[in-house]
C-alpha cells in the first residue's frame, strides 16, 4: 500500500518509522511518503493560513498550498495506470473511525492524508478533490485535537496491521474486538502471563487447565462481562446467530436475554429479578 501525508509538521509523523509500521515500511509492504505543506507556498513567509471569511476565531488553511500538494501527489501516479489515491481528511466533524472503516481503507491500494491545523482547510479544497478521487472525512473520536497528525498516526496504524503479511500468525487480528465474526462488538477480557502466582494473586485456574474448549468459553464469558461493564451500548448490536447455548446461559447469568419482539439482546433492568 502507498500512503502520502501532507502536513506542516512532517516531524510529527516520525513514529511511522517505529515498530509495526516502521517494520512494514522496511519490508516494503508500506510505501509512506511525507510532504511538507510549506514546500507548496510561494510567498517569503511560506504562509499556509488566513483569517476566516464571515469572521470568528482562529485561522483557516489556504486552498492554494493544499491544491498544489495534492496535485503533486496525484500527478506522481504515473501516466499508465491513471490511478488516484483515496483522500482521508481527519476532522472532528468526520465519520467515526471504526474497525469496519479501517478494513475498508486497508482494501485500497493508495491513501493520501490531509491533516489540518487551525480551524481546518478551506472547504473548496475538499470539494474539488472529491471530483477527482474518493474522499473520506474521518473523526477518531468525540474530542478535538490540536491538529490531524495524531489522527493520521491512529488511522495508519489501525490500517497497516490489517495488511496481508504485516502481522505474523501468532499476532493475528482474527480475534480483535470489533473484528467481524464471533468477536464482533465484544471487548476482549483480561490476559495473563507467567508467573502463575504473583503477589498472592493466582492466574485464573481455568487458563492452566489445558482444556482449550473450556478456556475459549471462559474467555468469551469474560468478554461478555467486560462489554456489559464498559460498553453496554454494544449489547443491542449482538447477533443472535453468533450465540450458542453456552453463550445464552452465560448471558442469562449476566442479566442479558434475547428479546424476540425487538429482535435484540436486552439487559434486565437493574433491581428487577427474573
Ligand atoms: N482533528 C482534530 N480533532 C480530530 C478528531 N477528533 N479526529 C480526527 N481529526 C481531528
Amino acid at each position: 500500500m502507498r500512503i502520502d501525508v501532507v502536513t506542516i509538521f512532517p516531524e510529527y509523523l516520525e513514529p511511522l518509522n517505529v515498530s509495526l509500521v516502521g517494520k512494514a515500511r522496511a519490508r516494503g509492504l508500506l510505501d509512506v511518503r511525507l510532504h511538507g505543506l510549506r514546500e507548496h507556498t510561494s510567498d517569503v513567509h511560506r504562509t499556509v493560513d488566513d483569517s476566516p471569511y464571515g469572521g470568528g476565531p482562529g485561522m483557516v488553511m489556504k486552498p492554494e498550498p493544499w491544491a498544489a500538494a495534492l496535485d503533486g501527489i496525484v500527478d506522481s501516479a504515473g501516466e499508465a495506470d491513471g490511478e488516484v489515491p483515496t483522500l482521508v481528511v481527519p476532522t472532528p466533524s468526520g465519520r467515526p473511525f471504526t474497525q469496519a472503516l479501517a478494513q475498508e481503507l486497508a482494501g485500497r491500494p493508495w491513501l493520501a492524508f490531509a491533516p489540518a491545523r487551525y480551524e481546518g482547510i478551506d472547504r473548496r479544497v475538499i470539494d474539488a478533490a472529491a471530483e477527482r478521487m474518493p474522499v473520506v472525512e474521518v473523526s477518531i473520536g468525540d474530542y478535538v485535537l490540536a491538529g490531524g497528525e495524531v489522527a493520521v498516526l491512529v488511522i495508519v496504524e489501525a490500517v497497516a496491521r490489517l495488511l496481508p503479511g504485516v502481522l505474523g500468525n501468532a499476532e493475528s487480528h482474527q480475534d480483535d474486538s470489533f473484528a467481524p465474526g464471533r468477536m464482533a462488538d465484544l471487548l476482549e477480557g483480561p490476559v495473563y502471563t507467567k508467573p502463575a502466582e504473583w503477589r498472592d494473586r493466582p492466574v485464573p485456574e481455568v487458563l492452566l487447565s489445558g482444556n482449550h474448549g473450556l478456556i475459549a468459553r471462559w474467555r468469551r464469558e469474560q468478554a461478555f462481562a467486560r462489554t456489559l461493564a464498559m460498553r453496554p451500548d454494544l449489547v443491542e448490536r449482538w447477533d443472535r446467530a453468533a450465540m450458542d447455548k453456552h453463550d445464552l446461559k452465560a448471558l442469562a447469568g449476566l442479566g442479558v436475554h434475547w428479546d424476540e419482539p425487538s429482535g435484540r439482546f436486552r439487559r434486565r433492568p437493574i433491581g428487577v429479578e427474573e
Side-chain angles (χ1 to χ4, degrees):
M1 170 183 275
R2 175 173 165 186
I3 292 179
D4 289 82
V5 187
V6 182
T7 168
I8 56 169
F9 295 125
E11 65 275 26
Y12 222 117
L13 294 151
E14 253 158 47
L16 296 179
N17 291 318
V18 181
S19 186
L20 176 121
V21 175
K23 278 185 205 150
R25 293 175 75 177
R27 291 166 59 207
L29 299 170
L30 257 189
D31 170 10
V32 179
R33 306 184 194 182
L34 303 182
H35 311 269
L37 182 66
R38 286 192 205 278
E39 308 303 314
H40 298 278
T41 55
S42 47
D43 62 317
V44 285
H45 301 295
R46 310 179 99 200
T47 312
V48 293
D49 62 335
D50 206 336
S51 53
Y53 273 122
M59 299 291 270
V60 174
M61 298 192 100
K62 291 165 65 59
E64 303 91 331
W66 276 106
L70 295 177
D71 286 350
I73 290 170
V74 171
D75 291 348
S76 72
E79 304 288 305
D81 44 20
E83 209 180 274
V84 290
T86 294
L87 182 65
V88 181
V89 185
T91 164
S93 56
R95 131 182 192 202
F97 188 56
T98 59
Q99 191 64 22
L101 183 49
Q103 296 270 7
E104 194 182 318
L105 295 176
R108 314 265 169 130
W110 185 7
L111 303 176
F113 287 86
R117 290 264 140 187
Y118 316 112
E119 295 299 309
I121 306 171
D122 186 303
R123 183 69 216 175
R124 293 168 293 181
V125 173
I126 290 121
D127 293 343
E131 288 177 2
R132 296 206 285 166
M133 61 192 104
V135 175
V136 205
E137 295 178 78
V138 183
S139 166
I140 63 161
D142 292 340
Y143 41 78
V144 180
L145 302 164
E149 283 78 7
V150 170
V152 173
L153 294 175
V154 168
I155 297 166
V156 169
E157 184 158 316
V159 168
R161 63 188 287 287
L162 297 176
L163 298 177
V166 169
L167 289 187
N169 239 354
E171 19 169 34
S172 135
H173 40 76
Q174 300 303 322
D175 292 339
D176 287 349
S177 297
F178 308 113
R182 236 171 108 68
M183 283 302 284
D185 301 312
L186 279 178
L187 306 185
E188 280 175 48
V191 294
Y192 301 86
T193 186
K194 292 178 258 315
E197 186 164 325
W198 175 78
R199 296 193 178 175
D200 293 333
R201 293 166 188 274
V203 162
E205 217 177 303
V206 60
L207 296 178
L208 311 177
S209 70
N211 183 332
H212 297 295
L214 218 54
I215 291 171
R217 206 180 298 163
W218 180 84
R219 286 196 169 133
R220 197 157 166 80
E221 288 168 19
Q222 294 290 314
F224 290 149
R226 178 85 185 170
T227 309
L228 278 164
M230 296 291 171
R231 291 291 304 276
D233 59 298
L234 293 180
V235 170
E236 52 179 59
R237 303 209 315 230
W238 288 350
D239 177 9
R240 173 67 182 79
M243 305 294 181
D244 62 20
K245 64 176 198 289
H246 299 297
D247 294 336
L248 295 178
K249 198 170 159 214
L251 288 172
L254 293 164
V256 174
H257 65 274
W258 176 251
D259 181 57
E260 192 59 51
S262 66
R264 287 177 183 169
F265 283 95
R266 286 194 186 280
R267 313 181 71 183
R268 185 184 335 113
I270 290 163
V272 177
E273 299 298 318
E274 291 275 87

